[in-house]
Amino acid sequence: MKFNRGRCRSRDLKKAACNGDYRLHERPNDVLVNILETVETRSIKTAAGNAEDRLSELPDDLLLNILDRVGTLDAIRTCILSKRLQKLPTMLSQIVIDLSPRDLFEMDGVVAEVTDRILSTRSPQITVRKLKLKFFLVPSRCLSIGKSVGLAMVTQKLDAAEFEIMTRKDFSHCTDANRLLYAEKFNDFVRDCPDAFAGLTRLHLRNMRFAKSEISNILSHCKRLEFLSFFEVDEGVRSVLHVEHTQLVELVIIFGKFETVELACLPKLQRMSYRDWQYDDNPLVLGFVPQLSKLSLACPYLSGKTLNLSKLLANSPNVSDLYLEFRSEKIWIQPECPNVLAPVLAKLRFVNLDHLREECDISWTLFLLEAAPYLEELCITVWDHKCRIESQKSVSKKTDVKWEPSDPHFKQKNLARLTIYGFQSDDNFIGYIRRVIQAAVNIREVSLHSRKVCPLCFEKFPQVALRPSGYPRTSKELDLLRERMTAASATASPVIHFRSLG
């Protein structure tokens, strides 16, 4: 019976591949690995019984399609089982080695060895559509990887190449001396492997402190770079990062001691994410970024200063997607009147306001609705994430944001969807939703979710689990709430969903 199932599966795979109706893109990666390993294991067993090797019936393009999406190391492990498969790793169009930090420690030299073996033995006629390597900043192995990739850049067709460079010490154990040393090693890596960095399209760095202007120097070597991510990377305490690049499309900065990040000239930048800046004076300056459409900012409230969106976005009127996260702290943006704010929010379509504290009156968020006439979706998450360190230090300093609309009867014609996480059946939420429905005359849907849950919060603060919930449960409660929310609107009649009902 096992033999027959193996034969049927092999035959079905081949038939489906020929017919073009085998939907590999819908299969999870672990299923695809299992398909190969199962077919091959059964083939070995049947070979022992003098039966033909079922894998010989599968076309190379089908096998490569599967192998390309299961990770390079999994593909190699599978191909070792059969002579028939051993040539396939050098034919892969995607080379992805993305191990967890623990696995990287255990397989320290594997990334460099496998990269060199595959790139040095493959045909230059086969395009590498994607090369992604995660590895530790160890000079000898970095040099091996850099030389292999650099040679491939020159002699082969390589569409996209990505380096994610890890450090032996994670950020919580890194000293300033460690960060300076890591930056020095990385500079040596760039200097020794110029061809690799000249063709790199994505780069992730962490735990490095460079000297002044060294980051600009690195960017000048990475001429094709489209994505750059910094985690705990800077040029010293209160340093100013000046960024210019002709190809960069996305920039992510998390932590670091920059006083100001100045995006001076990035003509192709579309997405920018800045999280956990340390100084509130002037954390982000948007210069020439004409294509910037998605901006994500996340930080706890560290001082008495607030950001004015009208000033921040003065040179970026094309932002359509805005994400602001407050870490359950005080609000660090200043509500502004629509006449001042409307010119920079003319193209805003999506707004996500995350981690507003639970005691906060959320009506201040209406200033965005009033100032953004083409806003289509508004999402608000109200949540006291108590395991955040900042929340424990500054809980006594929290105050509400005071704001009143310039026109209490303003109308907004394009908002179609309002989503709230952390909804409670109190006047704060009910009054807010009623005002939104009254203003957004064409709103179609309101989705209301209960509080989000963090297991770590429950573990560290058991009292969190004991808080009473004001989320409605009975049909009578739901009907009453719907009636109260829509009573003030003469035109809009959205569908109101209570998404957290069991």
Side-chain angles (χ1 to χ4, degrees):
M1 183 64 68
K2 290 182 180 180
F3 172 81
N4 290 338
R5 282 200 298 268
R7 174 180 293 175
C8 289
R9 172 171 289 184
S10 180
R11 186 188 305 120
D12 290 344
L13 284 171
K14 182 181 179 183
K15 180 181 178 181
C18 295
N19 292 339
D21 59 359
Y22 190 72
R23 298 181 179 178
L24 291 172
H25 64 278
E26 297 178 359
R27 300 282 178 140
N29 288 349
D30 56 346
V31 172
L32 298 177
V33 173
N34 184 262
I35 288 173
L36 275 181
E37 290 180 341
T38 301
V39 172
E40 176 58 14
T41 299
R42 287 170 178 165
S43 299
I44 293 172
K45 289 180 179 180
T46 54
N50 296 320
E52 63 179 333
D53 185 352
R54 298 302 167 203
L55 286 178
S56 63
E57 299 180 7
L58 298 180
D60 282 354
D61 57 350
L62 173 60
L63 292 171
L64 287 169
N65 191 306
I66 298 173
L67 291 171
D68 261 333
R69 292 179 295 111
V70 298
T72 301
L73 295 183
D74 283 330
I76 291 173
R77 278 193 288 264
T78 302
C79 292
I80 287 174
L81 296 173
S82 167
K83 292 182 180 180
R84 160 77 171 82
L85 296 177
Q86 286 177 8
K87 66 175 182 179
L88 294 183
T90 62
M91 300 168 62
L92 294 172
S93 65
Q94 297 193 68
I95 302 171
V96 177
I97 305 178
D98 187 5
L99 299 171
S100 68
R102 176 180 294 181
D103 288 339
L104 273 180
F105 272 112
E106 295 176 355
M107 306 169 67
D108 196 19
V110 169
V111 180
E113 181 181 349
V114 169
T115 301
D116 179 65
R117 183 175 300 178
I118 291 179
L119 292 179
S120 64
T121 56
R122 65 185 288 115
S123 168
Q125 304 305 315
I126 302 175
T127 301
V128 180
R129 291 190 292 106
K130 177 181 179 182
L131 171 70
K132 179 179 181 180
L133 304 175
K134 180 191 290 186
F135 53 93
F136 280 121
L137 187 61
V138 177
S140 60
R141 296 193 175 100
C142 286
L143 186 62
S144 173
I145 292 170
K147 294 297 185 183
S148 299
V149 173
L151 183 60
M153 296 281 188
V154 175
T155 61
Q156 301 183 32
K157 300 175 182 178
L158 209 162
D159 290 345
E162 178 174 358
F163 284 172
E164 182 172 353
I165 300 175
M166 310 291 288
T167 56
R168 289 283 189 172
K169 290 187 177 182
D170 65 24
F171 76 97
S172 61
H173 296 93
C174 264
T175 64
D176 288 345
N178 294 141
R179 294 187 179 95
L180 288 168
L181 179 60
Y182 289 142
E184 182 181 343
K185 289 182 178 180
F186 181 75
N187 280 328
D188 292 341
F189 184 20
V190 175
R191 185 191 65 243
D192 294 339
C193 303
D195 289 336
F197 283 92
L200 207 63
T201 55
R202 296 175 65 89
L203 177 62
H204 307 252
L205 299 180
R206 59 178 58 225
N207 305 328
M208 298 180 190
R209 173 156 291 171
F210 295 95
K212 184 178 180 180
S213 300
E214 283 186 341
I215 292 177
S216 295
N217 183 54
I218 291 167
L219 290 177
S220 69
H221 283 83
C222 303
K223 301 184 186 303
R224 291 185 59 203
L225 200 65
E226 297 177 1
F227 173 92
L228 177 63
S229 173
F230 287 160
F231 182 92
E232 281 281 15
V233 172
D234 56 48
E235 292 184 338
V237 175
R238 286 193 173 273
S239 55
V240 175
L241 177 63
H242 182 89
V243 188
E244 294 186 17
H245 199 277
T246 60
Q247 302 300 314
L248 199 65
V249 174
E250 183 169 0
L251 176 61
V252 177
I253 300 177
I254 304 174
F255 293 116
K257 295 295 194 301
F258 295 118
E259 181 172 12
T260 300
V261 173
E262 180 183 349
L263 307 187
C265 184
L266 296 164
K268 292 188 177 181
L269 189 74
Q270 297 176 21
R271 297 175 294 278
M272 168 67 188
S273 178
Y274 193 11
R275 306 174 69 88
D276 298 290
W277 55 85
Q278 300 295 304
Y279 309 104
D280 288 345
D281 294 338
N282 198 21
L284 181 63
V285 175
L286 301 177
F288 183 66
V289 284
Q291 295 190 44
L292 183 65
S293 61
K294 185 172 184 178
L295 179 63
S296 300
L297 302 174
C299 195
Y301 191 95
L302 299 176
S303 72
K305 297 185 178 181
T306 55
L307 294 181
N308 289 71
L309 290 177
S310 60
K311 294 179 180 180
L312 177 65
L313 301 176
N315 296 322
S316 306
N318 294 319
V319 171
S320 61
D321 192 330
L322 182 64
Y323 173 88
L324 305 175
E325 201 230 295
F326 301 95
R327 304 293 168 83
S328 306
E329 297 288 341
K330 290 170 65 178
I331 305 305
W332 42 258
I333 59 169
Q334 179 63 46
E336 301 176 73
C337 69
N339 292 337
V340 173
L341 198 53
V344 300
L345 299 185
K347 295 188 177 181
L348 191 63
R349 300 294 185 272
F350 309 98
V351 170
N352 192 335
L353 305 175
D354 203 0
H355 281 76
L356 305 182
R357 66 184 185 86
E358 294 180 12
E359 296 82 6
C360 178
D361 182 353
I362 60 175
S363 63
W364 67 269
T365 64
L366 289 169
F367 88 94
L368 289 167
L369 187 64
E370 187 177 7
Y374 295 102
L375 186 66
E376 298 172 5
E377 294 188 19
L378 174 60
C379 179
I380 297 174
T381 298
V382 179
W383 186 21
D384 281 351
H385 201 172
K386 293 187 177 296
C387 64
R388 295 284 180 89
I389 296 175
E390 293 84 3
S391 291
Q392 301 311 306
K393 289 181 178 179
S394 59
V395 65
S396 62
K397 300 178 183 179
K398 296 173 181 176
T399 58
D400 276 337
V401 175
K402 301 301 181 182
W403 175 84
E404 288 297 330
S406 59
D407 178 5
H409 305 292
F410 79 91
K411 301 298 179 184
Q412 207 274 10
K413 299 180 180 180
N414 288 285
L415 188 74
R417 183 176 293 104
L418 170 67
T419 302
I420 296 179
Y421 292 88
F423 173 80
Q424 301 290 293
S425 303
D426 58 30
D427 291 341
N428 182 24
F429 289 96
I430 296 172
Y432 177 79
I433 295 168
R434 186 165 56 238
R435 291 182 72 180
V436 171
I437 293 175
Q438 188 175 11
V441 295
N442 294 313
I443 189 169
R444 298 193 303 269
E445 180 181 309
V446 177
S447 293
L448 305 176
H449 303 253
S450 187
R451 291 188 183 113
K452 290 186 175 181
V453 175
C454 171
L456 186 58
C457 281
F458 283 3
E459 181 179 337
K460 293 179 67 175
F461 307 99
Q463 67 273 19
V464 172
L466 301 177
R467 288 181 304 167
S469 173
Y471 195 81
R473 294 296 173 187
T474 67
S475 298
K476 184 177 180 180
E477 289 176 324
L478 300 180
D479 292 340
L480 181 60
L481 285 173
R482 288 190 177 100
E483 183 178 345
R484 290 180 63 187
M485 292 173 188
T486 58
S489 175
T491 55
S493 54
V495 177
I496 299 177
H497 300 284
F498 292 90
R499 301 291 191 182
S500 298
L501 294 176

